Amino acid sequence: MSPTPATPRGVYLITPDEPDTARLLARVEPLLAAGTTWLQYRNKTATAALRREQAAALQALCVRHGVPLLINDDAPLAQAVGAAGVHIGEDDGGVAAARALLGPAALVGASCYDEPALAREAVAAGASYVAFGAFFPSRSKATTRRATPELLRQSAALGVPRVAIGGLTPDNVGPVIAAGADLVAVISSVFEAADPVSTLHAYLACFKDPA
């Protein structure tokens, strides 16, 4: 298992599919300034050239705000832009390969859905953190797997940060944090909110009083 820095806590913000790079930066920057813990660049609709452009621009922005940037599903792109790491899904090439490419200091995360066995395998392969979900129906992605707070409790022994994702809101995330989620991953609930910064603050407040 690769060494992990002091356990992060807070909001793991994932970018929306935004085709306009300038608009993407304008949407993201206030949220970095407002206390985002980690940012993940994810754009399933972009061309390879646009992904490179947006990832590089976000990396520069994240450096200015002191926020680690992770790239969704693309370790070579993470390496190319100097990102802090990568998030690997079930079919995206494997944690071990990403770790070998990006080195021991990188953040390498893995989607583990509702399966403790996947989490154990990911950590053994060098994952820095594991992500479970969906905890609730999500507007951003069709999901059939359902994770439970008990899964977070059971995975404490893995010794890496645990990320919860899927339909989480400031109104329902308390029990998930109380069960052991170190980070909550969110997309539309923040970016589609009437006031994204206030919504981010509402999530962060839940870490102070998760009950």
Side-chain angles (χ1 to χ4, degrees):
M1 183 177 67
S2 297
T4 302
T7 301
R9 283 178 65 78
V11 172
Y12 185 179
L13 189 64
I14 302 174
T15 61
D17 290 348
E18 171 58 69
D20 185 312
T21 301
R23 177 169 158 77
L24 176 63
L25 298 178
R27 297 176 73 183
V28 167
E29 184 161 25
L31 296 164
L32 297 181
T36 294
T37 302
W38 288 352
L39 180 73
Q40 182 187 129
Y41 172 58
R42 177 183 183 270
N43 190 335
K44 296 292 190 180
T45 64
T47 64
L50 181 59
R51 281 171 55 82
R52 174 65 181 260
E53 172 190 309
Q54 293 187 335
L58 286 170
Q59 170 63 8
L61 195 65
C62 283
V63 168
R64 287 205 297 274
H65 287 276
V67 175
L69 174 70
L70 293 95
I71 307 296
N72 180 259
D73 294 351
D74 194 335
L77 180 57
Q79 182 187 48
V81 302
V86 67
H87 183 84
I88 301 295
E90 195 169 26
D91 304 310
D92 299 316
V95 168
R99 173 62 67 201
L101 179 66
L102 298 178
L107 292 169
V108 177
S111 293
C112 301
Y113 311 99
D114 58 347
E115 299 184 38
L118 282 179
R120 290 192 294 271
E121 290 167 9
V123 172
S128 310
Y129 70 90
V130 292
F132 296 108
F135 283 84
F136 300 95
S138 171
R139 288 181 286 170
S140 302
K141 186 176 181 180
T143 56
T144 55
R145 291 159 160 171
R146 285 287 177 271
T148 65
E150 184 57 30
L151 182 57
L152 292 166
R153 296 185 188 96
Q154 293 171 355
S155 60
L158 293 173
V160 298
R162 291 155 289 165
V163 177
I165 190 169
L168 297 167
T169 71
D171 293 329
N172 66 23
V173 77
V176 174
I177 294 171
D182 300 295
L183 295 137
V184 293
V186 294
I187 309 174
S188 56
S189 58
V190 169
F191 282 105
E192 295 178 12
D195 187 337
V197 168
S198 291
T199 302
L200 179 74
H201 287 158
Y203 278 104
L204 294 175
C206 294
F207 281 87
K208 298 175 183 176
D209 183 14

